[in-house]
Amino acid sequence: MQKIRFSFILSLFALVSVAHAADEVRYYDIETIIFESLDPSARQSEHWKSDIDRKIPPVVAELDQPYPGQFPPQYDPSLTFKTLPKHAYLLQDAEKLLANSRQYRILLHTAWVQPGMGPDVALPVHINRSFITDTPVTHSLIPDTSETSSSNPALPTGTIQTRSVLDGYIKIILTRYLHADVDLVYTTGLPLTPQNNTTAPADDTTTPPIIQQPPVIYRLSESRRMRSKELHYLDHPVLGMLLLITQYEGKTPKPLGKKR
């Protein structure tokens, strides 16, 4: 009888411990705006690669998708890698400033809630967006003509539509402080389909072929210690990132810059 009573007490203690651990879990709202600079000099500031070697995390979290692997019992499913509604965004004023500027283009503005996770269990959030953009192209001049010269090897012809892809990971780690590990790759100038990398009118032999530059890759990779409720800016000649982390308090906060 005493053994049964002791086992029952241990079971209750285990349940209380799990419940207490769940109460101690801190949740955070993560909000980010990722944008690109449209300044041509920024794109010409370095020699950008057309391919890179990148280590892909073995396990990632996809927002609003099932948790990868067994779901930790101490986490609230409704607060674990779930996107926040747009009315809960705090960086709405920053988005308006960027959207109204001719110098920048917003690639992504999103926000989600997640538990504070230690370095051994923290999951990177997968970011993936695709865009259709206009890319400058040139017409190659016909060889051995009087127009061909070293000063004018090609004729500008405007733009064509190409595909750009933003792909990467944002991992938030909670130790004594908050940390953000960011690895974003922005690939521009991809063909809309594999067949249209170089095109020319089939029925017009007098029109020189279009020359499309190979894809260009811009990478923003940074690890930074964060402060809750403090806006952080991660810089890059082409890519920019605003990142804000606020502790979840069970209610929708008001946007930054607004009177509470």
Side-chain angles (χ1 to χ4, degrees), residues 147-192:
E147 294 180 281
T148 304
S149 67
S150 59
S151 62
N152 185 22
L155 293 175
T157 60
T159 62
I160 63 171
Q161 285 192 328
T162 61
R163 186 168 56 92
S164 300
V165 175
L166 175 68
D167 187 84
Y169 308 92
I170 302 174
K171 180 165 68 172
I172 306 301
I173 304 170
L174 177 63
T175 55
R176 184 178 179 183
Y177 300 97
L178 287 164
H179 296 262
D181 289 345
V182 175
D183 186 9
L184 297 174
V185 173
Y186 184 49
T187 306
T188 64
L190 294 167
L192 296 181

Side-chain angles (χ1 to χ4, degrees), residues 28-34 84 88-92 94 109-114 170 172 178 180 182 224 226-234 241-247 253-257 260:
Y28 295 89
D29 291 341
I30 318 296
E31 184 173 356
T32 182
I33 300 178
I34 303 169
L84 296 173
Y89 288 6
L90 301 180
L91 301 180
Q92 296 174 10
H109 185 185
T110 189
W112 69 91
V113 60
Q114 69 167 80
I170 302 174
I172 306 301
L178 287 164
V182 175
R224 180 179 294 191
M226 308 287 292
R227 290 180 180 273
S228 180
K229 298 183 181 180
E230 183 176 296
L231 182 61
H232 290 258
Y233 172 49
L234 283 65
M241 179 178 182
L242 299 176
L243 185 60
L244 177 68
I245 302 178
T246 54
Q247 188 165 344
K254 295 183 179 180
L256 291 182
R260 294 184 179 273

Side-chain angles (χ1 to χ4, degrees), residues 190-203:
L190 294 167
L192 296 181
T193 63
Q195 290 77 25
N196 71 344
N197 192 26
T198 301
T199 60
D203 56 350

Side-chain angles (χ1 to χ4, degrees), residues 61-67 77-78 80-85 110-113 125 129:
E62 301 283 355
L63 294 178
D64 298 322
Q65 296 298 317
Y67 190 90
S78 66
T80 302
F81 300 113
K82 301 300 181 182
T83 55
L84 296 173
T110 189
W112 69 91
V113 60
V125 172
R129 294 291 187 276

Side-chain angles (χ1 to χ4, degrees), residues 14-27 67-80 115-117 121:
L15 290 174
V16 172
S17 298
V18 170
H20 184 64
D23 290 339
E24 289 184 345
V25 174
R26 285 180 286 178
Y27 296 90
Y67 190 90
Q70 184 176 0
F71 191 87
Q74 68 272 26
Y75 294 160
D76 184 338
S78 66
L79 300 177
T80 302
M117 308 173 79
V121 296

